[in-house]
Amino acid sequence: TCQFSGGGYSLATRISATLLQCRVPPVNASLGACAGQALELEVLQTQEQTASNAPFSRVPTPTLLAATPRAGLHWEAQVVRLTGHGFLDSPHLACRFVAPGRALSVGRDNITFISASELIVLRPPTAMPYPDPSFVVLSLDGQVYSQPLTQYRILGAPAGLALAEGVTSFAFLSAAVAVLRGVAAYTIDRHGRRLRALDIWPHPINATLRRASRNPEALPL
């Protein structure tokens, strides 16, 4: 069994002659001391424990407040700035981009610790966009992650154009030059999410104009 200072213990699983796995018993609070608590091993229930004083620390779950930018294209790697509080420069620091049926893990090598409230993460490309809702979560020990509260979208390629909500046509008076003001169209991916500034390509819009004699006539789009 694995014995933790304070009376906690758990059964160990033998992986090899040099490796054991044991589950940490739950506690009500994190340890504030850097030294952590002692972890010892008892073999064959002999009541004799090791005396190695191997350090083991319980860390708090970090809190994520924002991800900047909040979206990226799935085929491109992107640098994402995470802000919050309770961050630690841990060797097991990890984050995940999660959505229904999807999870993209990012290891310590692609995370830069800036401060206790800021991290820089390099999100790698994915094979396809992630459906909504999608979030980014953070772990200090590589096992327990923060709550999925910070949204981050992994978007697909432009798949269509959509007009502003509730708009189906516009009316214009005759003039030498008719300036079509107020026409708002948005690029969307196959899930219907707006790409906004991520889409830098031009897209033509064809509208049918109908001639009216005296009264203004709506131009359907």
Side-chain angles (χ1 to χ4, degrees):
T1 58
C2 294
Q3 301 285 341
F4 297 85
S5 60
Y9 71 93
S10 66
L11 296 178
T13 300
R14 182 182 183 273
I15 305 300
S16 68
T18 59
L19 179 62
L20 294 176
Q21 276 187 352
C22 57
R23 185 178 295 275
V24 179
V27 295
N28 294 325
S30 302
L31 292 177
C34 294
Q37 64 181 125
L39 169 61
E40 306 296 348
L41 185 66
E42 178 185 319
V43 182
L44 299 178
Q45 296 183 346
T46 60
Q47 305 301 319
E48 296 182 0
Q49 298 179 4
T50 59
S52 60
N53 285 319
F56 175 82
S57 297
R58 299 178 188 268
V59 295
T61 302
T63 299
L64 278 181
L65 298 178
T68 307
R70 298 181 60 185
L73 300 174
H74 79 88
W75 66 86
E76 294 181 345
Q78 186 179 48
V79 174
V80 182
R81 177 176 174 262
L82 302 181
T83 55
H85 54 79
F87 300 170
L88 294 176
D89 191 6
S90 163
H92 306 293
L93 197 61
C95 83
R96 285 178 182 168
F97 296 87
V98 297
R102 311 281 176 82
L104 173 66
S105 297
V106 179
R108 185 65 179 86
D109 292 343
N110 288 323
I111 302 176
T112 302
F113 178 84
I114 304 299
S115 68
S117 59
E118 182 179 358
L119 297 173
I120 301 297
V121 175
L122 177 60
R123 177 189 65 78
T126 61
M128 59 186 65
Y130 279 19
D132 285 342
S134 57
F135 304 92
V136 56
V137 294
L138 180 66
S139 174
L140 301 182
D141 59 6
Q143 299 184 47
V144 179
Y145 284 81
S146 59
Q147 294 295 315
L149 301 175
T150 302
Q151 289 191 339
Y152 176 87
R153 284 177 160 178
I154 300 180
L155 304 174
L161 296 174
L163 291 175
E165 289 81 354
V167 176
T168 58
S169 64
F170 294 86
F172 301 95
L173 297 177
S174 61
V177 177
V179 180
L180 304 183
R181 292 189 177 92
V183 179
Y186 304 94
T187 309
I188 56 175
D189 68 1
R190 67 179 186 179
H191 294 289
R193 285 92 53 88
R194 295 180 183 179
L195 273 68
R196 301 183 185 274
L198 293 173
D199 183 8
I200 60 174
W201 300 279
H203 302 283
I205 299 178
N206 297 321
T208 300
L209 303 181
R210 291 187 299 174
R211 183 177 181 181
S213 56
R214 293 184 178 180
N215 298 323
E217 184 175 353
L219 303 180
L221 298 180

